[in-house]
Amino acid sequence: MILDNRGLEPPQPMMRTLTKLGNLHVGETITIINDRRPMFLYEELNELGYLHNTEALEDGSFKITITKSGE
């Protein structure tokens, strides 16, 4: 699943992402695309036990792949 959060003002991207994460099962992945690097989201993902990887895209946006960990 890809969630495109570009063009949204904070805190909308984070709120949309957290809502979608609630539907993930262990081992499932969601990819989000944001205008900015989601610094506050990383803290939340770490606390909730999600794995994440960030890739800077050529247009200046960021692609973040988030996986629900089984730990």
Side-chain angles (χ1 to χ4, degrees):
M1 172 189 309
I2 296 178
L3 184 62
D4 190 344
N5 290 323
R6 291 176 289 189
L8 299 175
E9 291 297 319
Q12 287 296 326
M14 184 164 167
M15 300 308 294
R16 288 182 77 208
T17 300
L18 292 174
T19 298
K20 293 292 183 183
L21 290 178
N23 299 326
L24 287 185
H25 298 287
V26 173
E28 289 185 327
T29 298
I30 184 171
T31 299
I32 64 170
I33 302 174
N34 284 12
D35 290 321
R36 302 170 194 80
R37 190 178 296 270
M39 301 310 293
F40 295 113
L41 178 62
Y42 295 139
E43 294 173 18
E44 195 75 26
L45 293 174
N46 291 336
E47 285 183 25
L48 295 171
Y50 288 89
L51 305 174
H52 52 89
N53 181 59
T54 301
E55 176 185 344
L57 302 178
E58 289 184 16
D59 67 357
S61 62
F62 293 87
K63 179 172 87 171
I64 302 93
T65 304
I66 304 166
T67 303
K68 186 167 186 173
S69 174
E71 299 176 9

